[in-house]
Protein backbone atom coordinates (compact mmCIF):
# COMPACT_ATOMS: atom_id res chain seq x y z
CA UNK A 1 0.00 0.00 0.00
CA UNK A 2 1.60 3.29 -1.09
CA UNK A 3 0.65 6.69 0.27
CA UNK A 4 1.37 10.16 -1.01
CA UNK A 5 4.21 11.59 1.09
CA UNK A 6 2.68 15.03 0.65
CA UNK A 7 -0.39 14.03 2.68
CA UNK A 8 0.64 11.23 5.04
CA UNK A 9 2.30 12.27 8.29
CA UNK A 10 5.76 11.06 9.11
CA UNK A 11 6.52 9.51 12.50
CA UNK A 12 8.90 11.75 14.41
CA UNK A 13 9.22 9.41 17.37
CA UNK A 14 7.76 6.44 19.19
CA UNK A 15 8.47 5.95 22.88
CA UNK A 16 7.17 4.07 25.88
CA UNK A 17 5.48 5.86 28.75
CA UNK A 18 7.73 5.78 31.82
CA UNK A 19 6.78 4.75 35.37
CA UNK A 20 6.41 7.84 37.55
CA UNK A 21 5.30 8.68 41.09
CA UNK A 22 2.94 11.64 41.34
CA UNK A 23 0.61 13.23 43.89
CA UNK A 24 0.81 11.49 47.28
CA UNK A 25 2.52 8.45 45.77
CA UNK A 26 0.29 7.42 42.88
CA UNK A 27 2.06 5.00 40.54
CA UNK A 28 1.39 5.97 36.93
CA UNK A 29 3.07 6.10 33.52
CA UNK A 30 4.03 9.42 31.88
CA UNK A 31 4.17 9.56 28.09
CA UNK A 32 5.54 13.11 28.02
CA UNK A 33 5.89 16.12 30.29
CA UNK A 34 8.41 18.42 32.00
CA UNK A 35 10.73 18.25 28.99
CA UNK A 36 10.61 20.29 25.78
CA UNK A 37 7.19 22.05 25.76
CA UNK A 38 7.51 22.84 22.04
CA UNK A 39 7.44 19.14 21.06
CA UNK A 40 3.69 18.76 21.25
CA UNK A 41 2.61 22.40 21.69
CA UNK A 42 -0.15 23.15 22.79
CA UNK A 43 0.03 20.01 24.98
CA UNK A 44 2.38 19.89 27.95
CA UNK A 45 1.96 16.57 29.73
CA UNK A 46 0.17 13.23 29.37
CA UNK A 47 -0.26 10.66 32.17
CA UNK A 48 -1.75 7.17 32.07
CA UNK A 49 -2.94 6.33 35.60
CA UNK A 50 -3.69 2.62 35.35
CA UNK A 51 -3.44 0.27 38.30
CA UNK A 52 -5.03 -2.79 39.86
CA UNK A 53 -3.47 -2.39 43.32
CA UNK A 54 -5.48 0.12 45.40
CA UNK A 55 -2.50 0.90 47.67
CA UNK A 56 -0.72 2.29 44.59
CA UNK A 57 -3.34 4.95 43.83
CA UNK A 58 -5.73 5.55 46.78
CA UNK A 59 -3.58 8.33 48.28
CA UNK A 60 -4.46 10.27 45.15
CA UNK A 61 -3.61 13.85 44.28
CA UNK A 62 -4.32 15.99 47.38
CA UNK A 63 -4.81 19.76 47.27
CA UNK A 64 -2.52 21.46 44.74
CA UNK A 65 -2.62 24.64 42.63
CA UNK A 66 -2.85 25.23 38.88
CA UNK A 67 -2.54 28.42 36.86
CA UNK A 68 -2.18 29.08 33.14
CA UNK A 69 -3.26 25.63 31.88
CA UNK A 70 -6.18 23.31 31.23
CA UNK A 71 -6.35 19.73 32.54
CA UNK A 72 -8.31 17.06 30.73
CA UNK A 73 -9.21 13.91 32.71
CA UNK A 74 -10.70 10.89 30.92
CA UNK A 75 -11.73 7.92 33.07
CA UNK A 76 -12.01 4.39 31.65
CA UNK A 77 -12.65 2.39 34.83
CA UNK A 78 -13.07 3.22 38.51
CA UNK A 79 -13.90 6.73 39.71
CA UNK A 80 -12.13 10.01 40.40
CA UNK A 81 -13.63 12.17 43.15
CA UNK A 82 -12.73 15.86 42.84
CA UNK A 83 -13.20 19.10 44.77
CA UNK A 84 -11.77 22.59 44.45
CA UNK A 85 -11.32 26.01 46.04
CA UNK A 86 -14.41 27.34 44.24
CA UNK A 87 -16.65 24.88 46.09
CA UNK A 88 -17.13 22.46 43.21
CA UNK A 89 -17.33 18.74 44.05
CA UNK A 90 -18.14 15.71 41.99
CA UNK A 91 -17.16 12.28 40.76
CA UNK A 92 -16.04 11.04 37.36
CA UNK A 93 -16.99 7.47 36.46
CA UNK A 94 -16.16 5.11 33.61
CA UNK A 95 -16.33 6.91 30.27
CA UNK A 96 -16.69 10.38 31.83
CA UNK A 97 -14.53 13.40 30.97
CA UNK A 98 -13.62 16.54 32.89
CA UNK A 99 -12.06 19.54 31.18
CA UNK A 100 -10.82 22.04 33.78
CA UNK A 101 -9.60 25.47 32.76
CA UNK A 102 -7.41 26.63 35.64
CA UNK A 103 -6.94 30.12 34.18
CA UNK A 104 -5.95 32.67 36.83
CA UNK A 105 -5.71 30.06 39.54
CA UNK A 106 -7.44 27.22 41.30
CA UNK A 107 -6.70 24.78 44.10
CA UNK A 108 -8.14 21.31 43.69
CA UNK A 109 -7.73 17.67 44.59
CA UNK A 110 -8.40 14.45 42.68
CA UNK A 111 -8.82 11.16 44.53
CA UNK A 112 -9.00 7.94 42.48
CA UNK A 113 -11.27 5.09 43.56
CA UNK A 114 -11.14 1.65 41.94
CA UNK A 115 -14.06 -0.35 40.59
CA UNK A 116 -15.43 -3.46 42.31
CA UNK A 117 -12.32 -5.38 41.25
CA UNK A 118 -9.97 -2.67 42.48
CA UNK A 119 -9.07 -1.51 38.98
CA UNK A 120 -8.46 2.14 38.21
CA UNK A 121 -7.70 3.48 34.75
CA UNK A 122 -7.75 6.95 33.28
CA UNK A 123 -5.70 9.59 31.51
CA UNK A 124 -4.81 13.19 32.23
CA UNK A 125 -3.65 15.62 29.57
CA UNK A 126 -2.40 19.15 30.22
CA UNK A 127 -3.09 21.80 27.60
CA UNK A 128 -1.37 25.17 27.60
CA UNK A 129 -3.28 28.45 27.56
CA UNK A 130 -2.19 31.38 25.35
CA UNK A 131 -0.98 34.56 27.07
CA UNK A 132 -4.29 36.40 26.63
CA UNK A 133 -6.19 33.59 28.42
CA UNK A 134 -3.81 32.57 31.19
CA UNK A 135 -5.58 34.80 33.71
CA UNK A 136 -9.14 34.00 32.60
CA UNK A 137 -11.74 32.90 35.15
CA UNK A 138 -11.49 29.18 36.04
CA UNK A 139 -14.23 26.88 34.78
CA UNK A 140 -15.16 23.21 34.60
CA UNK A 141 -16.82 21.09 31.95
CA UNK A 142 -17.92 17.74 33.39
CA UNK A 143 -19.19 15.46 30.62
CA UNK A 144 -21.02 12.19 31.35
CA UNK A 145 -20.18 9.15 29.23
CA UNK A 146 -23.67 9.11 27.71
CA UNK A 147 -23.11 12.61 26.26
CA UNK A 148 -20.05 11.61 24.23
CA UNK A 149 -20.90 10.75 20.59
CA UNK A 150 -19.87 7.29 19.42
CA UNK A 151 -19.52 6.18 15.80
CA UNK A 152 -19.01 2.71 14.34
CA UNK A 153 -17.80 2.46 10.72
CA UNK A 154 -18.66 -0.37 8.31
CA UNK A 155 -15.34 -2.12 9.01
CA UNK A 156 -16.02 -2.17 12.76
CA UNK A 157 -13.83 0.82 13.65
CA UNK A 158 -15.35 2.52 16.71
CA UNK A 159 -14.68 6.14 17.71
CA UNK A 160 -15.68 8.20 20.77
CA UNK A 161 -15.52 11.91 19.91
CA UNK A 162 -14.58 13.71 23.11
CA UNK A 163 -13.84 17.06 21.52
CA UNK A 164 -13.57 18.43 18.01
CA UNK A 165 -15.40 17.20 14.93
CA UNK A 166 -14.98 13.76 13.37
CA UNK A 167 -17.03 11.85 10.79
CA UNK A 168 -19.86 14.36 11.09
CA UNK A 169 -20.09 14.24 14.89
CA UNK A 170 -18.91 16.93 17.31
CA UNK A 171 -17.70 16.24 20.83
CA UNK A 172 -19.50 17.94 23.74
CA UNK A 173 -16.45 19.74 25.20
CA UNK A 174 -16.11 23.22 23.71
CA UNK A 175 -14.50 26.63 24.15
CA UNK A 176 -11.01 25.16 24.56
CA UNK A 177 -8.12 27.47 23.68
CA UNK A 178 -6.22 24.99 21.50
CA UNK A 179 -9.40 23.93 19.63
CA UNK A 180 -8.26 20.31 20.05
CA UNK A 181 -9.50 17.07 18.60
CA UNK A 182 -9.54 14.24 21.16
CA UNK A 183 -10.61 10.82 19.88
CA UNK A 184 -10.76 7.35 21.46
CA UNK A 185 -10.39 4.94 18.53
CA UNK A 186 -10.80 1.14 18.45
CA UNK A 187 -9.85 -0.76 15.26
CA UNK A 188 -10.61 -4.49 14.77
CA UNK A 189 -7.82 -6.99 14.11
CA UNK A 190 -6.13 -6.62 10.74
CA UNK A 191 -8.15 -3.58 9.64
CA UNK A 192 -6.24 -0.71 7.99
CA UNK A 193 -7.65 2.77 8.54
CA UNK A 194 -6.86 6.20 7.12
CA UNK A 195 -7.76 9.05 9.47
CA UNK A 196 -7.79 12.71 8.53
CA UNK A 197 -6.11 15.33 10.76
CA UNK A 198 -6.00 19.06 10.13
CA UNK A 199 -2.65 19.84 8.51
CA UNK A 200 -1.78 22.65 10.91
CA UNK A 201 -2.27 20.69 14.14
CA UNK A 202 0.38 18.98 16.23
CA UNK A 203 -0.72 15.40 16.75
CA UNK A 204 0.09 12.28 18.73
CA UNK A 205 -1.38 8.82 19.29
CA UNK A 206 -1.25 6.88 22.54
CA UNK A 207 -1.80 3.12 22.33
CA UNK A 208 -3.32 1.53 25.43
CA UNK A 209 -4.86 -1.74 24.22
CA UNK A 210 -3.70 -4.24 21.62
CA UNK A 211 -1.07 -3.30 19.07
CA UNK A 212 -0.82 -1.80 15.61
CA UNK A 213 1.38 -0.11 13.07
CA UNK A 214 1.32 3.46 11.80
CA UNK A 215 2.55 4.33 8.32
CA UNK A 216 5.70 6.44 8.39
CA UNK A 217 5.67 8.75 5.36
CA UNK A 218 9.41 9.29 5.76
CA UNK A 219 10.09 5.58 5.17
CA UNK A 220 11.07 4.48 1.63
CA UNK A 221 8.02 5.04 -0.61
CA UNK A 222 5.91 5.51 2.52
CA UNK A 223 5.04 1.81 2.54
CA UNK A 224 4.21 -0.74 5.19
CA UNK A 225 6.68 -3.63 5.20
CA UNK A 226 5.82 -7.32 5.43
CA UNK A 227 6.30 -9.07 8.76
CA UNK A 228 4.92 -12.21 10.36
CA UNK A 229 3.03 -11.75 13.63
CA UNK A 230 1.52 -14.65 15.60
CA UNK A 231 1.80 -16.91 12.57
CA UNK A 232 -0.04 -14.49 10.28
CA UNK A 233 1.57 -12.32 7.66
CA UNK A 234 0.41 -8.74 8.12
CA UNK A 235 1.57 -5.50 6.52
CA UNK A 236 3.36 -3.54 9.19
CA UNK A 237 6.38 -1.34 9.54
CA UNK A 238 6.61 -1.11 13.31
CA UNK A 239 4.16 -2.93 15.55
CA UNK A 240 3.65 -0.72 18.60
CA UNK A 241 1.73 -1.82 21.66
CA UNK A 242 0.59 -0.95 25.15
CA UNK A 243 1.64 2.46 26.54
CA UNK A 244 3.32 3.60 23.32
CA UNK A 245 3.34 7.26 22.32
CA UNK A 246 3.55 7.99 18.58
CA UNK A 247 4.48 11.59 17.72
CA UNK A 248 3.63 12.67 14.17
CA UNK A 249 5.08 15.22 11.79
CA UNK A 250 3.03 17.42 9.47
CA UNK A 251 0.44 16.22 6.97
CA UNK A 252 -3.31 15.81 6.69
CA UNK A 253 -3.78 12.12 7.53
CA UNK A 254 -2.40 9.09 9.30
CA UNK A 255 -2.77 5.46 8.32
CA UNK A 256 -2.78 2.66 10.87
CA UNK A 257 -3.21 -1.09 10.71
CA UNK A 258 -4.42 -3.01 13.74
CA UNK A 259 -2.47 -6.07 14.83
CA UNK A 260 -3.92 -9.58 15.33
CA UNK A 261 -5.61 -8.60 18.63
CA UNK A 262 -7.00 -5.29 17.43
CA UNK A 263 -5.94 -1.83 18.54
CA UNK A 264 -7.28 0.93 20.79
CA UNK A 265 -5.60 4.31 21.03
CA UNK A 266 -6.19 7.97 21.72
CA UNK A 267 -5.59 10.35 18.81
CA UNK A 268 -5.11 13.91 20.02
CA UNK A 269 -4.26 17.02 18.03
CA UNK A 270 -4.34 20.77 18.61
CA UNK A 271 -3.28 24.09 17.14
CA UNK A 272 0.18 25.14 18.44
CA UNK A 273 0.29 28.31 20.53
CA UNK A 274 3.96 29.10 19.75
CA UNK A 275 4.59 31.33 22.76
CA UNK A 276 7.37 31.35 25.38
CA UNK A 277 6.82 28.91 28.26
CA UNK A 278 7.85 29.48 31.88
CA UNK A 279 6.96 26.29 33.75
CA UNK A 280 7.39 25.07 37.29
CA UNK A 281 5.34 22.17 38.64
CA UNK A 282 1.60 22.76 38.18
CA UNK A 283 1.93 26.39 37.02
CA UNK A 284 2.71 27.40 33.43
CA UNK A 285 3.15 31.04 32.43
CA UNK A 286 4.95 32.94 29.65
CA UNK A 287 7.72 34.64 31.63
CA UNK A 288 9.83 33.97 34.68
CA UNK A 289 8.40 37.11 36.31
CA UNK A 290 4.84 35.80 35.87
CA UNK A 291 5.89 32.48 37.36
CA UNK A 292 7.46 34.20 40.35
CA UNK A 293 4.29 36.26 40.82
CA UNK A 294 2.17 33.10 40.84
CA UNK A 295 4.20 31.57 43.68
CA UNK A 296 4.19 34.91 45.50
CA UNK A 297 0.38 34.89 45.24
CA UNK A 298 0.35 31.38 46.69
CA UNK A 299 2.45 32.48 49.67
CA UNK A 300 0.36 35.62 50.22
CA UNK A 301 -3.01 33.92 49.97
CA UNK A 302 -3.98 35.92 46.84
CA UNK A 303 -3.70 33.06 44.34
CA UNK A 304 -7.48 32.57 44.06
CA UNK A 305 -9.28 35.54 42.54
CA UNK A 306 -12.41 36.64 44.45
CA UNK A 307 -15.71 35.62 42.83
CA UNK A 308 -17.47 38.32 40.86
Amino acid sequence: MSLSPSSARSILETRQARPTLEGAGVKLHRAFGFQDPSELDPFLLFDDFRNEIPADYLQGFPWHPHRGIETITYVLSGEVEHSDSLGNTGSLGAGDVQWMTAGSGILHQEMPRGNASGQMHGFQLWGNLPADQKMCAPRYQDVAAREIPEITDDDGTHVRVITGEFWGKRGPVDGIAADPQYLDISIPAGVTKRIKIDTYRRAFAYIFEGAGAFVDASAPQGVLLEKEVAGQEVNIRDLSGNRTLVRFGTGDEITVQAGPEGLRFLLISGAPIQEPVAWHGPIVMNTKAELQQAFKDLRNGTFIAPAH
Side-chain angles (χ1 to χ4, degrees):
M1 174 185 18
S2 296
L3 294 177
S4 167
S6 63
S7 62
R9 288 186 178 236
S10 61
I11 295 175
L12 299 179
E13 177 187 20
T14 62
R15 64 175 179 245
Q16 290 296 113
R18 296 182 177 181
T20 304
L21 279 179
E22 197 53 87
V26 176
K27 293 182 179 180
L28 51 79
H29 284 73
R30 179 160 292 156
F32 63 88
F34 297 106
Q35 294 168 327
D36 180 359
S38 67
E39 271 190 352
L40 283 163
D41 178 19
F43 306 114
L44 298 164
L45 175 147
F46 181 86
D47 284 344
D48 178 348
F49 51 97
R50 181 188 334 183
N51 213 303
E52 296 182 358
I53 304 173
D56 289 343
Y57 62 77
L58 282 178
Q59 295 303 308
F61 308 91
W63 292 99
H64 58 281
H66 284 296
R67 177 180 282 182
I69 66 171
E70 299 180 289
T71 66
I72 304 94
T73 305
Y74 178 29
V75 177
L76 294 185
S77 60
E79 294 183 353
V80 176
E81 297 175 359
H82 66 88
S83 53
D84 65 47
S85 52
L86 302 178
N88 297 305
T89 60
S91 180
L92 301 175
D96 295 347
V97 174
Q98 181 190 83
W99 206 292
M100 183 193 76
T101 303
S104 60
I106 198 165
L107 297 170
H108 77 154
Q109 66 173 353
E110 300 155 300
M111 307 302 289
R113 298 287 179 262
N115 61 18
S117 301
Q119 297 170 328
M120 178 69 226
H121 190 191
F123 307 105
Q124 188 167 92
L125 174 70
W126 290 12
N128 200 5
L129 283 169
D132 62 358
Q133 296 184 41
K134 282 195 177 292
M135 297 300 286
C136 69
R139 71 165 182 155
Y140 280 90
Q141 294 183 71
D142 283 345
V143 180
R146 63 180 179 276
E147 300 174 38
I148 297 174
E150 302 195 26
I151 315 163
T152 302
D153 205 5
D154 292 343
D155 60 11
T157 298
H158 184 80
V159 181
R160 302 190 81 220
V161 185
I162 293 167
T163 187
E165 189 168 349
F166 188 72
W167 289 351
K169 299 286 186 178
R170 175 164 287 279
V173 180
D174 61 10
I176 305 303
D179 187 27
Q181 185 182 59
Y182 191 131
L183 308 174
D184 178 352
I185 302 176
S186 300
I187 302 178
V191 170
T192 299
K193 202 72 183 172
R194 300 174 78 141
I195 301 170
K196 288 289 185 181
I197 303 177
D198 187 283
T199 304
Y200 301 102
R201 294 171 180 266
R202 298 271 171 80
F204 70 91
Y206 183 75
I207 300 170
F208 62 97
E209 285 182 16
F214 292 85
V215 168
D216 185 350
S218 64
Q221 302 178 354
V223 298
L224 292 162
L225 306 179
E226 296 289 334
K227 185 175 178 181
E228 190 171 283
V229 176
Q232 299 180 351
E233 194 171 61
V234 293
N235 293 321
I236 64 172
R237 178 174 184 272
D238 178 25
L239 195 69
S240 297
N242 188 22
R243 296 194 177 103
T244 299
L245 174 79
V246 183
R247 189 163 64 92
F248 298 106
T250 57
D252 64 7
E253 70 177 15
I254 64 167
T255 297
V256 57
Q257 183 177 61
E261 297 180 357
L263 171 68
R264 187 176 180 187
F265 65 100
L266 302 179
L267 181 62
I268 299 174
S269 63
I273 295 173
Q274 298 180 316
E275 292 180 351
V277 173
W279 183 2
H280 185 78
I283 297 174
V284 183
M285 305 303 290
N286 293 104
T287 68
K288 186 176 180 180
E290 291 171 339
L291 200 58
Q292 291 172 337
Q293 182 62 51
F295 284 97
K296 182 179 178 181
D297 291 343
L298 272 171
R299 291 192 300 270
N300 295 343
T302 56
F303 188 78
I304 307 301
H308 296 291

